[in-house]
Amino acid sequence: QQQVKQSPQSLIVQKGGISIINCAYENTAFDYFPWYQQFPGKGPALLIAIRPDVSEKKEGRFTISFNKSAKQFSLHIMDSQPGDSATYFCAAVSGAGSYQLTFGKGTKLSVIP
Amino acid sequence: NAGVTQTPKFQVLKTGQSMTLQCAQDMNHNSMYWYRQDPGMGLRLIYYSASEGTTDKGEVPNGYNVSRLNKREFSLRLESAAPSQTSVYFCASSARLAGGPNEQFFGPGTRLTVL
């Protein structure tokens, strides 16, 4: 059972545009939602994360929007740059005592000049 | 400060061969993890070690064993490799402070091919 559904699988955006990646979850016990960025040949790296007690978190050009009632969250990349081309994974983890991150299947973003 | 290191970077095995993937972290983290990454499947947890001396199964443990050698090192062993274990393997670690987020730091990966 896939507990975190991520879409789209791939995304092509022009330089300067907005990239939007969406995730939906089922488990209401999830209480921490990180996004990871992975470049080819590298391991994933934490990009930005949010807890469900806030509806939005912004770090530079990257913003997470969170809708607790709909059990959905999304990553927005403003002014997308070719250097943002990577695979992005959303993830979720439940609270105290849990060590397991549940990952979405990933979105391959290509930003074209 | 190297973070999380993994050896080897690449490996080719024949079906039935065994091997051990090594992982070490220098961030004094308590928890360590092994994932596999397959195209279109995201990252799936194989085993994890919440703290030194403990290990637990993740989502896809069959065909693997792990050893938490000490606080720094966590190894993954394939006893009898199968083509279905062809994948990229990532090790990760986290501080996992009480009540804190489970921020995991990943190594560069081991690309394993089983023929």
Side-chain angles (χ1 to χ4, degrees):
Chain A
Q1 180 185 3
Q2 184 190 0
Q3 296 190 52
V4 179
K5 294 185 178 180
Q6 183 172 348
S7 62
Q9 275 189 307
S10 62
L11 181 61
I12 300 174
V13 174
Q14 283 209 311
K15 179 182 175 181
I18 302 174
S19 303
I20 301 174
I21 303 171
N22 299 300
C23 286
Y25 63 96
E26 300 164 2
N27 186 349
T28 55
F30 288 147
D31 67 351
Y32 175 67
F33 301 88
W35 284 88
Y36 283 81
Q37 179 187 56
Q38 184 180 29
F39 293 106
K42 305 293 185 183
L46 181 66
L47 183 64
I48 187 173
I50 196 168
R51 288 197 175 277
D53 52 351
V54 299
S55 59
E56 186 175 282
K57 182 175 182 179
K58 184 176 181 179
E59 290 185 4
R61 295 183 295 107
F62 299 90
T63 299
I64 301 178
S65 297
F66 191 87
N67 185 330
K68 188 174 181 178
S69 61
K71 293 186 285 186
Q72 295 174 347
F73 58 110
S74 60
L75 176 69
H76 296 236
I77 306 174
M78 310 301 288
D79 187 26
S80 299
Q81 299 296 313
D84 297 330
S85 297
T87 299
Y88 293 81
F89 294 94
C90 61
V93 63
S94 58
S98 174
Y99 292 84
Q100 298 195 37
L101 277 174
T102 300
F103 284 88
K105 293 188 175 182
T107 297
K108 185 176 181 179
L109 172 65
S110 300
V111 181
I112 55 176
Chain B
N1 189 339
V4 179
T5 57
Q6 294 183 235
T7 56
K9 286 185 168 56
F10 300 93
Q11 184 70 48
V12 178
L13 293 177
K14 294 181 180 178
T15 297
Q17 287 185 316
S18 62
M19 79 160 295
T20 299
L21 282 63
Q22 306 287 352
C23 173
Q25 52 91 10
D26 62 2
M27 296 176 283
N28 200 34
H29 284 168
N30 293 319
S31 304
M32 298 185 73
Y33 313 80
W34 276 106
Y35 291 88
R36 61 178 288 172
Q37 183 176 34
D38 303 291
M41 296 296 291
L43 290 113
R44 294 182 292 170
L45 183 65
I46 304 171
Y47 271 93
Y48 67 98
S49 171
S51 59
E52 189 178 352
T54 68
T55 60
D56 285 285
K57 295 178 180 179
E59 180 184 356
V60 288
N62 291 344
Y64 305 96
N65 286 299
V66 291
S67 295
R68 183 74 182 267
L69 304 171
N70 47 56
K71 190 172 185 178
R72 289 188 62 248
E73 299 173 289
F74 189 38
S75 64
L76 178 72
R77 183 161 178 84
L78 287 70
E79 290 290 353
S80 179
S84 61
Q85 294 179 304
T86 293
S87 188
V88 181
Y89 291 86
F90 289 100
C91 177
S93 70
S94 68
R96 197 62 175 95
L97 300 174
N102 188 355
E103 182 178 344
Q104 296 186 13
F105 296 82
F106 285 79
T110 294
R111 283 143 187 85
L112 175 67
T113 300
V114 183
L115 302 175

